[in-house]
Amino acid sequence: MKYHPSAVCIHGELSDELYLTGMLDRLGGLLDKIRRYNVPCGVCSHFPEALAYAEEHNLKPDYYMASVYNLFQPDRSHDVNPTGERFEESDIPKMYEVIRRLDAPTFALKILGAGRRCAEQAQVRDAFMEAFASMKPGDGVLVGMFDKYIDQPALNA
């Protein structure tokens, strides 16, 4: 807090760990610690169930961050990239379903699947169209850029 942040989010890996260990009841206390500093607080997760928990238990974060791919499913063994992340297309509609039920604004992450949905510009457009059609008014997406092979800043502009 010494850097005076504009907002603080409970990191997705922490929320995911709390979910996997059955300790989501600690989310409320973490949000309360952030609120003491009068900055907006959020919850991020790869698990739709963790975000649904925060909503169902009236934890009232100011925003959510939701990865449409659940990279931390412990029972997956295929489509593993060198970092160990697992991408399953079946994750996407599950997360969008939860996003639509969340009261606070939500930012969808990984809508392009870390490049997996970028082979052609039509595929990129379709991923954005899917995201915007699947979310509430006021929600948004956070998308990174990697312009080694194509001028992504120009495409985005």
Side-chain angles (χ1 to χ4, degrees):
M1 291 299 178
K2 70 180 179 179
Y3 298 108
H4 308 287
S6 298
V8 175
C9 188
I10 298 170
H11 195 274
E13 289 186 34
L14 175 56
S15 298
D16 296 346
E17 182 67 24
L18 293 175
Y19 171 72
L20 290 170
T21 58
M23 296 190 297
L24 278 175
D25 58 330
R26 295 186 179 187
L27 275 179
L30 293 172
L31 289 169
D32 288 342
K33 284 182 181 182
I34 299 167
R35 287 186 182 108
R36 283 186 226 147
Y37 292 92
N38 294 314
V39 297
C41 57
V43 175
C44 181
S45 185
H46 296 87
F47 285 95
E49 298 88 348
L51 302 179
Y53 176 94
E55 190 72 17
E56 291 162 5
H57 287 82
N58 208 27
L59 300 184
K60 296 194 178 292
D62 296 298
Y63 63 97
Y64 291 99
M65 296 175 68
S67 173
V68 299
Y69 286 97
N70 187 342
L71 304 184
F72 293 96
Q73 281 286 12
D75 60 345
R76 295 188 178 162
S77 60
H78 59 288
D79 191 25
V80 178
N81 70 16
T83 66
E85 297 170 326
R86 297 166 170 90
F87 291 79
E88 296 278 345
E89 295 298 310
S90 62
D91 290 340
I92 298 169
K94 294 174 188 172
M95 186 57 89
Y96 283 137
E97 180 183 332
V98 169
I99 287 173
R100 286 189 297 274
R101 295 193 327 247
L102 302 173
D103 282 339
T106 304
F107 298 98
L109 315 172
K110 299 194 186 308
I111 69 165
L112 299 177
R116 286 168 177 76
R117 301 175 91 189
C118 296
E120 300 173 1
Q121 288 304 301
Q123 191 179 26
V124 173
R125 183 191 65 241
D126 290 347
F128 274 92
M129 296 301 287
E130 174 187 41
F132 297 142
S134 300
M135 298 165 59
K136 310 175 301 296
D139 289 345
V141 296
L142 293 176
V143 181
M145 290 187 287
F146 182 71
D147 63 351
K148 182 175 180 179
Y149 304 110
I150 191 168
D151 187 357
Q152 288 187 350
L155 285 171
N156 292 345

